[in-house]
Amino acid sequence: LDGLTAGNYYVSIEDANGCTEQEIIEITEPLQDLFIEYSTSESEWNGFGVQCNGDQNGYINISVSGGTPPYEYDWSGPNGFSSSSQNISNIGAGFYEITVTDSNDCTLTLDFEEDSENEAIEITEPEPMAISETHVDALCNGESNGSINITVSGGTGVYSYNWSNGASTEDISNLGAGTYSVTVLDENGCSIGIEVEITEFDPMNIEHEYYDISCYNSSDGSIDITVSGGTEVYTYSWTADNGFVS
């Protein structure tokens, strides 16, 4: 007999002399169909399968039930990945397919075929971290009124900031001339940094020549000044103890 389903089959055999023999034969089947449960590294990295964008520290652990043990495993994934292990680790982002085969050659596949009831397993990754800055230089030589404003995107969750001057805020102000660096960490420990130079203008300098009054009570004195440094254009405001204003 071929093509039988599970059940008890009864057979009675009689020979040419009328002798008979009966037999009961039970055809069994596995208690349940193949079934796959799995867990991934998403529990490690705040909902992502790897720690940082581009990392290769994800994993997938599977548990198989049903069918007839022992099982064989056939994994495939991004960039030609393959494995015959039950569990896989040190993997990057992407979709991973697995086919489990039991000792009776029954199979179950998790894949991304359109008509598949069992979807492939996805390992996700955060968006890459990015950082940009705008800054204001010190207005005058020796002053501490510069500022740096940074903008961070990507990564995971809330960021923390570690500036070279000890600040821990996103943006910093009241800065003198110098180079400032910041390292930004996300909640997964991924980092990005930037270095910003705050400049100052050259100190202002005044050089002058003057000519005294030639005769008593005359008004032919003069002053000629030359200004350098600072930021052009200059404005001039003259006063004198004799009431002169210009």
Side-chain angles (χ1 to χ4, degrees):
L1 297 178
D2 295 320
L4 303 179
T5 60
N8 292 317
Y9 292 82
Y10 305 88
V11 60
S12 179
I13 302 173
E14 182 177 350
D15 68 8
N17 291 331
C19 303
T20 61
E21 183 68 28
Q22 294 181 339
E23 187 75 21
I24 301 175
I25 304 171
E26 182 182 10
I27 298 296
T28 63
E29 65 179 349
L31 295 178
Q32 67 178 59
D33 199 2
L34 283 168
F35 182 74
I36 298 175
E37 292 183 298
Y38 66 86
S39 61
T40 72
S41 43
E42 288 185 352
S43 60
E44 304 283 339
W45 309 120
N46 293 294
F48 291 100
V50 295
Q51 181 178 8
C52 306
N53 185 275
D55 278 356
Q56 301 282 322
N57 52 10
Y59 64 79
I60 303 173
N61 295 332
I62 69 168
S63 175
V64 180
S65 57
T68 307
Y71 309 112
E72 294 180 354
Y73 309 92
D74 183 15
W75 288 95
S76 62
N79 303 313
F81 175 86
S82 63
S83 175
S84 59
S85 300
Q86 177 177 350
N87 304 315
I88 55 175
S89 59
N90 299 319
I91 57 176
F95 287 91
Y96 292 82
E97 295 184 350
I98 182 172
T99 296
V100 177
T101 304
D102 72 2
S103 61
N104 287 337
D105 287 333
C106 303
T107 62
L108 176 61
T109 299
L110 305 185
D111 59 24
F112 33 37
E113 297 296 331
E114 290 186 2
D115 58 351
S116 175
E117 295 181 358
N118 303 291
E119 295 183 353
I121 304 170
E122 183 181 11
I123 293 296
T124 59
E125 65 181 346
E127 291 294 322
M129 293 185 73
I131 188 170
S132 61
E133 61 86 17
T134 59
H135 67 273
V136 176
D137 292 320
L139 296 179
C140 301
N141 186 273
E143 292 187 348
S144 296
N145 48 20
S147 62
I148 303 173
N149 184 309
I150 65 170
T151 301
V152 182
S153 61
T156 308
V158 178
Y159 307 121
S160 60
Y161 307 90
N162 181 18
W163 286 92
S164 55
N165 67 347
S168 58
T169 55
E170 179 178 1
D171 307 319
I172 54 176
S173 57
N174 300 320
L175 304 177
T179 300
Y180 299 83
S181 60
V182 62
T183 299
V184 182
L185 292 176
D186 73 0
E187 288 189 9
N188 278 349
C190 309
S191 66
I192 194 169
I194 197 170
E195 188 174 82
V196 182
E197 182 181 8
I198 296 295
T199 62
E200 62 182 354
F201 297 98
D202 291 335
M204 293 185 68
N205 182 58
I206 300 176
E207 296 181 355
H208 67 273
E209 293 182 357
Y210 66 93
Y211 299 92
D212 291 329
I213 297 168
S214 58
C215 299
Y216 177 77
N217 212 29
S218 295
S219 57
D220 59 353
S222 65
I223 303 174
D224 182 16
I225 66 172
T226 301
V227 182
S228 61
T231 309
E232 297 189 42
V233 176
Y234 306 118
T235 59
Y236 304 86
S237 177
W238 288 91
T239 62
D241 59 6
N242 59 9
F244 175 85
V245 176
S246 175

